[in-house]
mmCIF file of all heavy atoms in Angstrom:
data_model
loop_
_atom_site.group_PDB
_atom_site.id
_atom_site.type_symbol
_atom_site.label_atom_id
_atom_site.label_comp_id
_atom_site.label_asym_id
_atom_site.label_seq_id
_atom_site.Cartn_x
_atom_site.Cartn_y
_atom_site.Cartn_z
ATOM 1 N N PHE A 79 105.272 93.474 96.182
ATOM 2 C CA PHE A 79 105.125 94.765 96.877
ATOM 3 C C PHE A 79 105.734 94.656 98.278
ATOM 4 O O PHE A 79 106.523 95.574 98.688
ATOM 5 C CB PHE A 79 103.715 95.211 96.925
ATOM 6 C CG PHE A 79 103.409 96.443 97.773
ATOM 7 C CD1 PHE A 79 103.817 97.657 97.230
ATOM 8 C CD2 PHE A 79 102.902 96.353 99.075
ATOM 9 C CE1 PHE A 79 103.602 98.855 98.011
ATOM 10 C CE2 PHE A 79 102.662 97.526 99.784
ATOM 11 C CZ PHE A 79 102.995 98.773 99.307
ATOM 12 N N ALA A 80 105.533 93.530 98.947
ATOM 13 C CA ALA A 80 106.030 93.399 100.324
ATOM 14 C C ALA A 80 107.558 93.393 100.362
ATOM 15 O O ALA A 80 108.184 93.759 101.346
ATOM 16 C CB ALA A 80 105.417 92.147 100.951
ATOM 17 N N THR A 81 108.189 92.895 99.284
ATOM 18 C CA THR A 81 109.633 92.818 99.232
ATOM 19 C C THR A 81 110.188 94.155 98.717
ATOM 20 O O THR A 81 111.466 94.276 98.662
ATOM 21 C CB THR A 81 110.136 91.670 98.386
ATOM 22 O OG1 THR A 81 109.694 91.860 97.010
ATOM 23 C CG2 THR A 81 109.655 90.368 98.862
ATOM 24 N N GLY A 82 109.434 95.061 98.307
ATOM 25 C CA GLY A 82 109.918 96.299 97.788
ATOM 26 C C GLY A 82 110.137 96.326 96.261
ATOM 27 O O GLY A 82 110.612 97.318 95.658
ATOM 28 N N ARG A 83 109.763 95.220 95.598
ATOM 29 C CA ARG A 83 109.984 95.120 94.163
ATOM 30 C C ARG A 83 108.923 95.956 93.384
ATOM 31 O O ARG A 83 109.247 96.417 92.236
ATOM 32 C CB ARG A 83 109.922 93.642 93.710
ATOM 33 C CG ARG A 83 110.277 93.381 92.321
ATOM 34 C CD ARG A 83 110.356 91.804 92.058
ATOM 35 N NE ARG A 83 110.470 91.482 90.652
ATOM 36 C CZ ARG A 83 110.319 90.208 90.255
ATOM 37 N NH1 ARG A 83 110.367 89.252 91.157
ATOM 38 N NH2 ARG A 83 110.472 89.998 88.993
ATOM 39 N N ARG A 84 107.739 96.128 93.959
ATOM 40 C CA ARG A 84 106.732 97.009 93.414
ATOM 41 C C ARG A 84 106.473 98.189 94.321
ATOM 42 O O ARG A 84 106.441 98.058 95.492
ATOM 43 C CB ARG A 84 105.381 96.252 93.207
ATOM 44 C CG ARG A 84 105.488 94.965 92.375
ATOM 45 C CD ARG A 84 105.859 95.274 90.921
ATOM 46 N NE ARG A 84 106.358 94.050 90.174
ATOM 47 C CZ ARG A 84 106.919 94.145 89.001
ATOM 48 N NH1 ARG A 84 107.042 95.286 88.439
ATOM 49 N NH2 ARG A 84 107.351 93.048 88.417
ATOM 50 N N GLU A 85 106.349 99.420 93.675
ATOM 51 C CA GLU A 85 106.273 100.617 94.509
ATOM 52 C C GLU A 85 104.952 100.747 95.103
ATOM 53 O O GLU A 85 104.791 101.363 96.149
ATOM 54 C CB GLU A 85 106.597 101.791 93.583
ATOM 55 C CG GLU A 85 108.050 101.922 93.187
ATOM 56 C CD GLU A 85 108.347 103.182 92.419
ATOM 57 O OE1 GLU A 85 107.452 104.020 92.219
ATOM 58 O OE2 GLU A 85 109.510 103.323 91.915
ATOM 59 N N LYS A 86 103.893 100.347 94.348
ATOM 60 C CA LYS A 86 102.499 100.557 94.981
ATOM 61 C C LYS A 86 101.699 99.289 94.825
ATOM 62 O O LYS A 86 101.999 98.395 93.979
ATOM 63 C CB LYS A 86 101.813 101.695 94.213
ATOM 64 C CG LYS A 86 102.426 103.097 94.361
ATOM 65 C CD LYS A 86 101.592 104.122 93.778
ATOM 66 C CE LYS A 86 102.122 105.520 94.042
ATOM 67 N NZ LYS A 86 101.320 106.628 93.540
ATOM 68 N N LEU A 87 100.713 99.139 95.669
ATOM 69 C CA LEU A 87 99.820 97.972 95.657
ATOM 70 C C LEU A 87 98.465 98.470 95.305
ATOM 71 O O LEU A 87 97.823 99.312 96.054
ATOM 72 C CB LEU A 87 99.813 97.360 97.081
ATOM 73 C CG LEU A 87 98.872 96.190 97.290
ATOM 74 C CD1 LEU A 87 99.063 95.041 96.313
ATOM 75 C CD2 LEU A 87 98.890 95.673 98.722
ATOM 76 N N PHE A 88 98.001 98.006 94.150
ATOM 77 C CA PHE A 88 96.650 98.443 93.649
ATOM 78 C C PHE A 88 95.651 97.339 93.831
ATOM 79 O O PHE A 88 95.959 96.199 93.631
ATOM 80 C CB PHE A 88 96.743 98.822 92.179
ATOM 81 C CG PHE A 88 97.601 100.056 91.929
ATOM 82 C CD1 PHE A 88 98.853 99.953 91.268
ATOM 83 C CD2 PHE A 88 97.179 101.320 92.251
ATOM 84 C CE1 PHE A 88 99.643 100.983 91.060
ATOM 85 C CE2 PHE A 88 97.920 102.448 91.964
ATOM 86 C CZ PHE A 88 99.146 102.277 91.412
ATOM 87 N N VAL A 89 94.431 97.758 94.264
ATOM 88 C CA VAL A 89 93.327 96.795 94.313
ATOM 89 C C VAL A 89 92.332 97.248 93.214
ATOM 90 O O VAL A 89 91.831 98.375 93.154
ATOM 91 C CB VAL A 89 92.617 96.893 95.688
ATOM 92 C CG1 VAL A 89 91.332 96.066 95.742
ATOM 93 C CG2 VAL A 89 93.583 96.446 96.792
ATOM 94 N N ASN A 90 92.128 96.280 92.355
ATOM 95 C CA ASN A 90 91.286 96.641 91.140
ATOM 96 C C ASN A 90 89.807 96.487 91.373
ATOM 97 O O ASN A 90 89.257 95.424 91.432
ATOM 98 C CB ASN A 90 91.695 95.666 89.971
ATOM 99 C CG ASN A 90 93.108 95.921 89.435
ATOM 100 O OD1 ASN A 90 93.977 95.116 89.759
ATOM 101 N ND2 ASN A 90 93.349 97.044 88.767
ATOM 102 N N GLY A 91 89.210 97.607 91.672
ATOM 103 C CA GLY A 91 87.726 97.685 91.980
ATOM 104 C C GLY A 91 87.397 97.570 93.387
ATOM 105 O O GLY A 91 87.833 96.699 94.105
ATOM 106 N N ASN A 92 86.562 98.594 93.892
ATOM 107 C CA ASN A 92 86.073 98.518 95.201
ATOM 108 C C ASN A 92 84.606 98.749 95.254
ATOM 109 O O ASN A 92 84.078 99.097 96.292
ATOM 110 C CB ASN A 92 86.807 99.516 96.109
ATOM 111 C CG ASN A 92 86.586 100.988 95.655
ATOM 112 O OD1 ASN A 92 86.194 101.267 94.574
ATOM 113 N ND2 ASN A 92 86.866 101.910 96.592
ATOM 114 N N ASP A 93 83.972 98.536 94.123
ATOM 115 C CA ASP A 93 82.502 98.768 94.011
ATOM 116 C C ASP A 93 81.751 97.524 93.584
ATOM 117 O O ASP A 93 80.651 97.568 93.033
ATOM 118 C CB ASP A 93 82.236 99.931 93.082
ATOM 119 C CG ASP A 93 82.761 99.638 91.707
ATOM 120 O OD1 ASP A 93 83.508 98.707 91.469
ATOM 121 O OD2 ASP A 93 82.411 100.476 90.761
ATOM 122 N N TYR A 94 82.354 96.366 93.860
ATOM 123 C CA TYR A 94 81.613 95.127 93.528
ATOM 124 C C TYR A 94 80.623 94.824 94.605
ATOM 125 O O TYR A 94 80.711 95.242 95.782
ATOM 126 C CB TYR A 94 82.617 93.941 93.509
ATOM 127 C CG TYR A 94 83.543 93.887 92.279
ATOM 128 C CD1 TYR A 94 84.863 94.435 92.329
ATOM 129 C CD2 TYR A 94 83.132 93.368 91.058
ATOM 130 C CE1 TYR A 94 85.641 94.419 91.221
ATOM 131 C CE2 TYR A 94 83.939 93.399 89.938
ATOM 132 C CZ TYR A 94 85.242 93.835 90.052
ATOM 133 O OH TYR A 94 86.031 93.934 88.969
ATOM 134 N N PRO A 95 79.469 94.014 94.216
ATOM 135 C CA PRO A 95 78.507 93.730 95.222
ATOM 136 C C PRO A 95 78.954 92.632 96.188
ATOM 137 O O PRO A 95 78.442 91.515 96.194
ATOM 138 C CB PRO A 95 77.364 93.228 94.298
ATOM 139 C CG PRO A 95 77.980 92.683 93.098
ATOM 140 C CD PRO A 95 79.220 93.540 92.891
ATOM 141 N N THR A 96 79.951 92.995 96.959
ATOM 142 C CA THR A 96 80.458 92.059 98.020
ATOM 143 C C THR A 96 80.585 92.776 99.323
ATOM 144 O O THR A 96 80.303 94.011 99.387
ATOM 145 C CB THR A 96 81.904 91.568 97.623
ATOM 146 O OG1 THR A 96 82.793 92.686 97.487
ATOM 147 C CG2 THR A 96 81.869 90.836 96.304
ATOM 148 N N GLU A 97 80.927 92.114 100.435
ATOM 149 C CA GLU A 97 80.904 92.734 101.721
ATOM 150 C C GLU A 97 81.779 93.991 101.836
ATOM 151 O O GLU A 97 81.394 94.935 102.413
ATOM 152 C CB GLU A 97 81.358 91.643 102.762
ATOM 153 C CG GLU A 97 81.066 92.114 104.195
ATOM 154 C CD GLU A 97 81.314 90.988 105.151
ATOM 155 O OE1 GLU A 97 81.031 89.787 104.836
ATOM 156 O OE2 GLU A 97 81.590 91.283 106.320
ATOM 157 N N ASP A 98 82.969 93.886 101.282
ATOM 158 C CA ASP A 98 83.867 95.070 101.372
ATOM 159 C C ASP A 98 84.119 95.744 100.015
ATOM 160 O O ASP A 98 84.964 96.617 99.873
ATOM 161 C CB ASP A 98 85.131 94.728 101.968
ATOM 162 C CG ASP A 98 86.020 93.632 101.250
ATOM 163 O OD1 ASP A 98 85.744 93.432 100.008
ATOM 164 O OD2 ASP A 98 86.837 93.004 101.893
ATOM 165 N N GLY A 99 83.372 95.328 98.979
ATOM 166 C CA GLY A 99 83.395 95.933 97.671
ATOM 167 C C GLY A 99 84.525 95.425 96.760
ATOM 168 O O GLY A 99 84.630 95.821 95.595
ATOM 169 N N THR A 100 85.291 94.453 97.249
ATOM 170 C CA THR A 100 86.345 93.909 96.407
ATOM 171 C C THR A 100 85.994 92.454 96.066
ATOM 172 O O THR A 100 85.211 91.826 96.669
ATOM 173 C CB THR A 100 87.766 93.888 97.163
ATOM 174 O OG1 THR A 100 87.670 93.080 98.340
ATOM 175 C CG2 THR A 100 88.152 95.323 97.564
ATOM 176 N N CYS A 101 86.644 91.991 95.004
ATOM 177 C CA CYS A 101 86.325 90.690 94.495
ATOM 178 C C CYS A 101 86.558 89.540 95.521
ATOM 179 O O CYS A 101 87.440 89.696 96.341
ATOM 180 C CB CYS A 101 87.209 90.311 93.249
ATOM 181 S SG CYS A 101 86.779 91.263 91.804
ATOM 182 N N VAL A 102 85.705 88.537 95.504
ATOM 183 C CA VAL A 102 85.871 87.403 96.401
ATOM 184 C C VAL A 102 86.184 86.125 95.587
ATOM 185 O O VAL A 102 85.571 85.906 94.591
ATOM 186 C CB VAL A 102 84.524 87.113 97.173
ATOM 187 C CG1 VAL A 102 84.501 85.794 97.945
ATOM 188 C CG2 VAL A 102 84.240 88.341 98.158
ATOM 189 N N ARG A 103 87.212 85.468 96.057
ATOM 190 C CA ARG A 103 87.706 84.345 95.320
ATOM 191 C C ARG A 103 87.978 83.194 96.294
ATOM 192 O O ARG A 103 88.228 83.312 97.453
ATOM 193 C CB ARG A 103 88.987 84.617 94.576
ATOM 194 C CG ARG A 103 88.866 85.599 93.435
ATOM 195 C CD ARG A 103 88.020 84.986 92.223
ATOM 196 N NE ARG A 103 87.963 86.015 91.147
ATOM 197 C CZ ARG A 103 86.930 86.929 91.052
ATOM 198 N NH1 ARG A 103 86.011 86.927 91.918
ATOM 199 N NH2 ARG A 103 86.912 87.724 89.983
ATOM 200 N N ASP A 104 87.906 81.941 95.719
ATOM 201 C CA ASP A 104 88.263 80.729 96.481
ATOM 202 C C ASP A 104 89.740 80.436 96.264
ATOM 203 O O ASP A 104 90.143 79.943 95.195
ATOM 204 C CB ASP A 104 87.394 79.557 95.908
ATOM 205 C CG ASP A 104 87.558 78.279 96.715
ATOM 206 O OD1 ASP A 104 88.549 78.110 97.363
ATOM 207 O OD2 ASP A 104 86.605 77.487 96.688
ATOM 208 N N PHE A 105 90.558 80.880 97.150
ATOM 209 C CA PHE A 105 92.046 80.639 97.021
ATOM 210 C C PHE A 105 92.392 79.284 97.562
ATOM 211 O O PHE A 105 91.965 78.867 98.660
ATOM 212 C CB PHE A 105 92.755 81.738 97.789
ATOM 213 C CG PHE A 105 92.562 83.150 97.196
ATOM 214 C CD1 PHE A 105 91.656 84.052 97.649
ATOM 215 C CD2 PHE A 105 93.370 83.531 96.150
ATOM 216 C CE1 PHE A 105 91.423 85.269 97.144
ATOM 217 C CE2 PHE A 105 93.196 84.793 95.529
ATOM 218 C CZ PHE A 105 92.244 85.670 96.046
ATOM 219 N N ILE A 106 93.231 78.626 96.829
ATOM 220 C CA ILE A 106 93.643 77.266 97.159
ATOM 221 C C ILE A 106 95.202 77.148 97.125
ATOM 222 O O ILE A 106 95.820 77.715 96.244
ATOM 223 C CB ILE A 106 93.014 76.169 96.180
ATOM 224 C CG1 ILE A 106 93.551 74.802 96.564
ATOM 225 C CG2 ILE A 106 93.244 76.505 94.716
ATOM 226 C CD1 ILE A 106 92.857 73.663 95.849
ATOM 227 N N HIS A 107 95.756 76.455 98.149
ATOM 228 C CA HIS A 107 97.191 76.291 98.187
ATOM 229 C C HIS A 107 97.693 75.461 96.942
ATOM 230 O O HIS A 107 97.064 74.359 96.697
ATOM 231 C CB HIS A 107 97.616 75.622 99.460
ATOM 232 C CG HIS A 107 99.018 75.837 99.818
ATOM 233 N ND1 HIS A 107 100.039 75.227 99.043
ATOM 234 C CD2 HIS A 107 99.691 76.500 100.808
ATOM 235 C CE1 HIS A 107 101.253 75.557 99.563
ATOM 236 N NE2 HIS A 107 101.077 76.300 100.661
ATOM 237 N N VAL A 108 98.724 75.862 96.334
ATOM 238 C CA VAL A 108 99.199 75.215 95.140
ATOM 239 C C VAL A 108 99.594 73.760 95.410
ATOM 240 O O VAL A 108 99.515 72.874 94.573
ATOM 241 C CB VAL A 108 100.273 76.022 94.475
ATOM 242 C CG1 VAL A 108 101.594 76.029 95.314
ATOM 243 C CG2 VAL A 108 100.672 75.452 93.081
ATOM 244 N N THR A 109 100.049 73.442 96.609
ATOM 245 C CA THR A 109 100.376 72.094 96.972
ATOM 246 C C THR A 109 99.237 71.243 97.075
ATOM 247 O O THR A 109 99.134 70.096 96.646
ATOM 248 C CB THR A 109 101.221 72.073 98.249
ATOM 249 O OG1 THR A 109 102.443 72.755 98.128
ATOM 250 C CG2 THR A 109 101.547 70.622 98.673
ATOM 251 N N ASP A 110 98.130 71.777 97.640
ATOM 252 C CA ASP A 110 96.811 71.037 97.691
ATOM 253 C C ASP A 110 96.367 70.740 96.178
ATOM 254 O O ASP A 110 95.895 69.618 95.922
ATOM 255 C CB ASP A 110 95.714 71.817 98.478
ATOM 256 C CG ASP A 110 95.875 71.656 99.897
ATOM 257 O OD1 ASP A 110 96.270 70.683 100.387
ATOM 258 O OD2 ASP A 110 95.506 72.613 100.604
ATOM 259 N N LEU A 111 96.516 71.708 95.376
ATOM 260 C CA LEU A 111 96.144 71.629 93.975
ATOM 261 C C LEU A 111 96.932 70.533 93.325
ATOM 262 O O LEU A 111 96.490 69.703 92.530
ATOM 263 C CB LEU A 111 96.228 72.909 93.238
ATOM 264 C CG LEU A 111 95.910 72.983 91.749
ATOM 265 C CD1 LEU A 111 94.515 72.424 91.424
ATOM 266 C CD2 LEU A 111 96.107 74.337 91.180
ATOM 267 N N ALA A 112 98.259 70.563 93.572
ATOM 268 C CA ALA A 112 99.169 69.573 92.949
ATOM 269 C C ALA A 112 98.816 68.156 93.350
ATOM 270 O O ALA A 112 98.727 67.186 92.512
ATOM 271 C CB ALA A 112 100.599 69.864 93.329
#
């Protein structure tokens, strides 16, 4: 989306029981994972 390849940015769900209503995940850098 940031490069203009996608026209819209959708966030799937804003009614989850989290602080801002969106899903919370543990994101890890792929190099750390490797």
